[in-house]
Coordinates of all heavy atoms in Angstrom, one line a residue:
I36 N 228.0 49.0 34.7 CA 228.2 50.5 34.8 C 229.3 51.0 33.9 O 229.4 52.2 33.7 CB 228.5 51.0 36.2 CG1 229.8 50.3 36.7 CG2 227.3 50.5 37.1 CD1 230.1 50.9 38.1
P42 N 233.9 47.0 24.9 CA 234.6 46.5 23.6 C 236.0 47.0 23.6 O 236.9 46.3 23.0 CB 233.7 47.3 22.5 CG 232.4 47.4 23.1 CD 232.6 47.7 24.6
A80 N 242.6 21.8 35.1 CA 242.3 20.9 33.9 C 243.4 20.1 33.5 O 244.5 20.5 33.4 CB 241.8 21.7 32.8
S123 N 238.1 41.9 34.1 CA 237.2 43.0 33.7 C 237.3 44.1 34.8 O 237.3 45.3 34.4 CB 235.7 42.5 33.5 OG 235.8 41.6 32.4
G139 N 248.4 41.3 41.9 CA 247.6 40.2 42.7 C 246.4 40.7 43.4 O 245.6 41.5 42.8
L142 N 245.9 44.5 43.9 CA 245.5 45.2 42.6 C 244.0 45.1 42.5 O 243.2 46.0 42.1 CB 246.2 44.7 41.4 CG 245.8 45.3 40.0 CD1 246.0 46.7 40.0 CD2 246.6 44.5 38.9
I182 N 245.2 8.7 50.2 CA 246.0 8.1 51.3 C 245.2 6.9 51.9 O 245.9 5.9 52.2 CB 246.3 9.2 52.4 CG1 247.2 10.3 51.9 CG2 246.8 8.5 53.6 CD1 248.6 9.9 51.7
L190 N 246.5 5.9 61.0 CA 247.6 6.6 61.4 C 248.2 7.4 60.2 O 248.6 8.5 60.4 CB 248.7 5.5 61.9 CG 250.2 6.2 62.2 CD1 250.0 7.2 63.4 CD2 251.1 5.0 62.5
R196 N 247.2 14.7 57.8 CA 246.5 15.9 58.3 C 247.5 16.8 58.9 O 247.4 18.0 58.7 CB 245.4 15.4 59.2 CG 244.2 14.7 58.6 CD 243.3 14.1 59.7 NE 242.0 13.5 59.0 CZ 241.2 12.8 59.6 NH1 241.3 12.6 60.9 NH2 240.1 12.3 59.0
M227 N 252.1 16.1 34.1 CA 252.8 15.1 33.3 C 252.4 13.7 33.6 O 252.2 12.9 32.8 CB 254.4 15.2 33.6 CG 255.0 16.5 32.9 SD 256.8 16.5 32.9 CE 257.3 15.9 34.4

Side-chain angles (χ1 to χ4, degrees):
I36 63 176
S123 298
L142 176 61
I182 292 289
L190 176 62
R196 287 171 174 170
M227 288 194 319

